[in-house]
Amino acid sequence: MDTNLTISKGIFVYKTKNIADYKRKDGTDNVFADQLWYQSFKSVWTKVEQKIEILNDEMFTGLLKNLVDSVKSSFNEKVTEVPTKTLLTGINMPDHVALFSTLCKEIKKSVTPHIAVLHTEHCSTLKNLVESAVDQFVNKVHSYESDGDELKSKIRKTYCTFAFLQAWYESLHGSTNSKRKTRSVAQPLVIIIPDFENFNEKSLQDFILIISSYLNVLPIILIFGIATSVNAIHRSLPFHVSSKINIQVFNTQPSHLYLNRIIESVLLTEDCPFHIGGKVFQCFTDIFLYYDLSVQRFIKNFKYAMLEHYSAHSIMALCTFSHKVNRVVEQLSDDDLAAVKSLQSVRDHIEGSDNFEETLIQGVQHFYSYLSMFHLYLKCLHSLVHSLPNCPLGKQVRELYSTATSGEITQSEGYIEAFKLLGFHSKQELTEKVSGMCLILEDHDGDEIQDVLAQLQEHLVKLEDATTEVAEEPKLGGELMLSEKMNRLQLKQKLRELTRAPKQLSNYDKARAALIQYLQDVFDKYLRHPSSVPFYELFFFNNLSIRQVLLGSHRSAIHTALNNPSYYFHCDCCKLTDDGRISASMPDISILYKLHLEYGKLINLYDWLQAFVTIVDPYIDSGEEDAENRPVSPEVHARFIQGVADLEFLGFIKSYKRKTHVVRLTWGG
């Protein structure tokens, strides 16, 4: 490895094949486009993505319509306060980009082309705030349209003031004072702040006061994105500032409800034959609930799992839409068919089968039917148990799905507890729940479904006609009557006999017990664990090791990279036989990292430099020159300074009050 290439430069050059070598004959860059598994993956993911986009549009349509209409009508009348729209977005920050990007497009299409989007990282001071806002108005390009590139300003930053903005706006639309009666015709200036809580409070307060002073000549509208609550505005803005703005609040749909809609309407339907197993699904939901509440990240995790599943073997191409199964089977090779036969769930199923391809098609089609019924009765079970006390099976369909795919749901403690609670329901409560289940079944066709529906309706009729009166209990025989003269042992025996006497049930109790027993029989039949059905491995992804990829161990990875760079570089020059050794061919930051592990809390920079020089530029004894006092070359000194700066940036060290020392912030490897 070249010792002049250091990790601090941040750029690594590897000699690879020409990109043209990877291009297909039709001009596309995807090297997997001809693979059978990739074609199935692409068709399924395209369908899933389309349905998710439709749900996105449905979710944003109502909210954005009301918000855009409010922006449009903000200056229909004379205003004395800055019109301010507060959008409560929730804490799922990664999803906000899509929301505000769509909002900008709608405002630009329906209201005004003058939009400025201000982000915390670019607006640390009041000067930056004003310059960024004016610059975006003049360029007519905001951050969501720049594709991550720096906006090319048409004017110098020093000219970006509100006085210049007023002159620019009046040159386009004329003076607003002369058109006060028709002010609503003028296109307003919309300033969007997606992350209100992260802004510097003092800068934001001054910015609002400046906007308020220009309100008579510039029709400015503010839109705040708030992750917590409206109280964040009152905590950040004192009264003399908050009194200058007119706040109107808009609420977005909570992210967990949005995720439930995606799972129920997209992932658990026939449009998505690919499924994830219970443990992997629980991992995804845990990441969602305990890390960032980001629906976009959940979808990306799902896509990654799908790609891992399909790319594992070409036989995973069978996980496609039912009408494409025949075509996929025709393209499978003999080795692929042998791989299908070796699946654990298929071995017993193919015994005595002469034509395996026909058996394969029928088995896959049967699995589609099973999945359809599985999803249907999962929703039916949810309609029965989601409102039970303490929710033994959870409140959401996703919780039921996780339980049903992790083990036999009908044998779980939550399932048993749920049906015990159903056994205590009144006639009205139980009738409402079963009627809701019937409504779900009515939306589906099929002889089996219609037969279950008919049976449920019969049970409902019996339930409604049944009375809750208990028949008069027959008088107990003389042998069970309690006599006056009886010792303690005899009394205990008589009471035990009385408790063993059969309890008299009402007609309603009998009808309820029969209905619950029938429901249990139905769920036992249709909510079997997917692994009990042949070809289960083709449709379910159960590799829990994906968690390490999605979450990762950042501290461990950084330590490994710095302590043993050959682990990632795969080069022989950095390979170490002993972790305690240091090689001159290692990157500078790795050498400095391993040296700093040998120090205590305080590290003397001069000693550290001398140790670094001894390794990267060893002294060759050729005379009487003292190796310790020889001058350090400027190149080596610069490399040392750069490496120390990189370690400080990574958080391993920090500056100390004595300039000759730095403080070590970590201990051990």
Side-chain angles (χ1 to χ4, degrees):
M1 180 178 174
D2 189 354
T3 56
N4 292 327
L5 294 177
T6 67
I7 197 171
S8 61
K9 292 184 179 179
I11 300 176
F12 304 93
V13 181
Y14 296 94
K15 185 176 181 181
T16 61
K17 294 182 180 180
N18 193 318
I19 191 63
D21 297 336
Y22 293 103
K23 289 190 176 182
R24 298 171 64 242
K25 294 180 180 179
D26 57 3
T28 60
D29 294 335
N30 196 330
V31 296
F32 301 113
D34 292 331
Q35 300 290 329
L36 187 60
W37 66 265
Y38 183 80
Q39 295 172 3
S40 294
F41 161 77
K42 190 67 176 177
S43 61
V44 173
W45 176 249
T46 301
K47 183 69 174 178
V48 169
E49 196 171 29
Q50 290 174 351
K51 294 199 68 175
I52 291 176
E53 289 178 358
I54 293 173
L55 279 180
N56 283 343
D57 294 339
E58 291 177 355
M59 185 187 74
F60 292 150
T61 296
L63 170 68
L64 295 184
K65 183 179 183 302
N66 295 334
L67 182 55
V68 171
D69 290 343
S70 177
V71 171
K72 191 182 299 184
S73 60
S74 296
F75 287 96
N76 285 348
E77 299 178 357
K78 183 179 178 180
V79 297
T80 57
E81 300 170 341
V82 181
T84 304
K85 319 301 175 184
T86 301
L87 187 58
L88 299 181
T89 57
I91 61 174
N92 48 320
M93 298 298 291
D95 296 339
H96 295 173
V97 175
L99 174 61
F100 283 102
S101 177
T102 306
L103 175 62
C104 290
K105 293 177 183 177
E106 291 296 324
I107 293 178
K108 180 165 285 191
K109 181 174 66 175
S110 306
V111 184
T112 176
H114 309 313
I115 301 175
V117 182
L118 306 180
H119 296 284
T120 310
E121 57 269 23
H122 302 138
C123 306
S124 57
T125 64
L126 176 62
K127 183 174 181 291
N128 298 140
L129 265 172
V130 175
E131 289 178 351
S132 180
V134 176
D135 193 30
Q136 291 184 51
F137 282 134
V138 174
N139 289 325
K140 295 186 179 179
V141 178
H142 54 78
S143 60
Y144 289 125
E145 294 180 337
S146 61
D147 297 328
D149 299 329
E150 291 292 330
L151 300 177
K152 295 182 179 179
S153 179
K154 298 178 181 178
I155 59 172
R156 294 177 61 181
K157 288 285 187 181
T158 54
Y159 295 154
C160 292
T161 62
F162 270 90
F164 177 84
L165 181 62
Q166 177 185 350
W168 170 83
Y169 185 82
E170 291 179 353
S171 67
L172 291 179
H173 304 287
S175 175
T176 54
N177 289 327
S178 62
K179 299 182 179 181
R180 186 174 297 276
K181 294 182 180 180
T182 60
R183 191 172 182 178
S184 60
V185 179
Q187 296 174 326
L189 303 172
V190 179
I191 299 176
I192 300 176
I193 300 179
D195 48 349
F196 176 84
E197 287 98 336
N198 293 334
F199 263 78
N200 180 278
E201 294 181 1
K202 184 65 172 64
S203 300
L204 194 58
Q205 294 169 17
D206 295 338
F207 186 67
I208 293 174
L209 292 176
I210 294 174
I211 290 175
S212 177
S213 65
Y214 276 88
L215 190 60
N216 291 329
V217 291
L218 290 174
I220 297 178
I221 300 173
L222 295 175
I223 298 179
F224 294 153
I226 298 180
T228 53
S229 66
V230 183
N231 291 332
I233 294 181
H234 301 291
R235 288 195 300 267
S236 302
L237 306 179
F239 177 75
H240 73 279
V241 178
S242 60
S243 61
K244 302 293 184 180
I245 59 179
N246 182 12
I247 302 174
Q248 188 175 1
V249 181
F250 296 86
N251 290 284
T252 61
Q253 186 181 43
S255 58
H256 68 277
L257 296 181
Y258 178 36
L259 178 65
N260 293 338
R261 287 189 61 188
I262 288 181
I263 292 175
E264 296 174 24
S265 304
V266 181
L267 305 185
L268 300 184
T269 62
E270 296 178 356
D271 293 325
C272 183
F274 168 78
H275 291 68
I276 49 182
K279 293 182 179 179
V280 179
F281 185 83
Q282 188 62 45
C283 171
F284 286 2
T285 53
D286 287 346
I287 293 173
F288 171 81
L289 293 173
Y290 300 121
Y291 282 82
D292 53 11
L293 291 174
S294 171
V295 178
Q296 295 299 323
R297 180 172 180 179
F298 183 93
I299 295 171
K300 290 179 180 179
N301 292 345
F302 184 86
K303 183 179 180 181
Y304 182 82
M306 182 186 291
L307 192 58
E308 283 285 313
H309 177 76
Y310 279 94
S311 61
H313 200 285
S314 57
I315 62 174
M316 299 306 175
L318 289 167
C319 181
T320 183
F321 302 112
S322 58
H323 63 275
K324 295 183 178 181
V325 174
N326 292 4
R327 189 183 67 182
V328 173
V329 172
E330 292 175 357
Q331 299 181 58
L332 293 178
S333 63
D334 293 339
D335 293 339
D336 295 335
L337 294 176
V340 176
K341 291 180 182 179
S342 65
L343 296 176
Q344 184 67 34
S345 63
V346 181
R347 292 173 186 172
D348 298 334
H349 182 71
I350 62 174
E351 290 183 359
S353 175
D354 297 332
N355 188 349
F356 178 69
E357 291 188 7
E358 186 66 26
T359 304
L360 176 58
I361 294 174
Q362 293 176 358
V364 172
Q365 295 292 354
H366 174 264
F367 198 89
Y368 284 125
S369 302
Y370 159 78
L371 281 178
S372 178
M373 303 297 280
F374 182 81
H375 296 154
L376 173 61
Y377 286 99
L378 208 60
K379 295 177 181 178
C380 291
L381 180 60
H382 172 256
S383 68
L384 291 175
V385 303
H386 74 280
S387 59
L388 291 177
N390 297 326
C391 302
L393 284 174
K395 291 184 178 181
Q396 311 297 338
V397 174
R398 57 179 168 82
E399 296 173 288
L400 277 176
Y401 175 83
S402 177
T403 304
T405 52
S406 299
E408 291 291 348
I409 188 173
T410 55
Q411 298 177 9
S412 64
E413 294 182 2
Y415 180 87
I416 296 172
E417 179 66 21
F419 273 87
K420 283 183 180 179
L421 293 174
L422 286 175
F424 295 108
H425 271 36
S426 65
K427 180 188 293 187
Q428 181 181 358
E429 292 174 333
L430 190 58
T431 301
E432 290 177 356
K433 289 181 180 295
V434 178
S435 298
M437 179 176 172
C438 290
L439 291 176
I440 296 175
L441 294 174
E442 287 175 358
D443 295 335
H444 296 78
D445 299 326
D447 295 336
E448 293 185 35
I449 297 175
Q450 294 303 317
D451 181 59
V452 173
L453 179 60
Q455 294 285 343
L456 284 177
Q457 290 173 344
E458 290 181 8
H459 281 284
L460 277 178
V461 172
K462 294 178 181 179
L463 199 67
E464 292 173 353
D465 295 340
T467 61
T468 57
E469 296 180 358
V470 181
E472 185 178 352
E473 296 184 7
K475 293 183 179 180
L476 297 174
E479 68 276 9
L480 292 178
M481 298 299 293
L482 298 178
S483 62
E484 296 180 359
K485 296 181 180 180
M486 190 177 297
N487 59 34
R488 182 173 296 180
L489 180 60
Q490 291 174 335
L491 177 62
K492 183 178 180 180
Q493 291 177 346
K494 291 297 182 182
L495 291 175
R496 185 175 297 173
E497 292 175 1
L498 287 173
T499 57
R500 291 175 181 173
K503 183 181 178 180
Q504 297 297 318
L505 299 176
S506 66
N507 292 335
Y508 168 71
D509 292 332
K510 295 177 182 178
R512 179 177 60 189
L515 172 59
I516 291 177
Q517 183 60 49
Y518 179 73
L519 289 173
Q520 288 181 313
D521 294 340
V522 170
F523 293 133
D524 285 341
K525 179 180 179 181
Y526 294 108
L527 289 183
R528 293 175 297 156
H529 190 269
S531 61
S532 63
V533 184
F535 304 100
Y536 156 79
E537 295 89 345
L538 298 176
F539 296 87
F540 276 80
F541 178 79
N542 281 304
N543 187 2
L544 193 57
S545 63
I546 193 176
R547 179 184 179 91
Q548 299 177 357
V549 179
L550 300 179
L551 293 178
S553 301
H554 307 296
R555 185 174 181 271
S556 175
I558 293 173
H559 170 73
T560 302
L562 296 178
N563 191 60
N564 184 19
S566 65
Y567 181 84
Y568 292 103
F569 287 152
H570 303 291
C571 60
D572 295 331
C573 58
C574 296
K575 205 169 202 179
L576 302 176
T577 57
D578 182 10
D579 288 341
R581 295 185 58 188
I582 304 177
S583 172
S585 61
M586 296 170 63
D588 294 344
I589 191 173
S590 295
I591 297 173
L592 289 170
Y593 175 79
K594 299 196 74 169
L595 287 173
H596 108 289
L597 294 177
E598 301 174 0
Y599 290 90
K601 183 177 180 180
L602 291 180
I603 303 176
N604 187 299
L605 286 173
Y606 180 79
D607 295 340
W608 201 7
L609 172 61
Q610 291 300 321
F612 177 73
V613 172
T614 303
I615 295 172
V616 300
D617 189 17
Y619 172 70
I620 300 176
D621 190 7
S622 58
E624 298 180 355
E625 183 181 357
D626 188 358
E628 295 183 358
N629 297 324
R630 69 191 179 102
V632 180
S633 67
E635 180 185 352
V636 173
H637 196 188
R639 288 166 59 184
F640 173 78
I641 294 174
Q642 180 66 58
V644 171
D646 290 339
L647 286 177
E648 184 175 4
F649 177 77
L650 291 174
F652 291 102
I653 59 174
K654 73 173 183 178
S655 302
Y656 188 54
K657 56 185 178 181
R658 284 187 288 181
K659 295 182 180 180
T660 57
H661 290 73
V662 292
V663 181
R664 181 179 172 187
L665 301 178
T666 59
W667 298 96

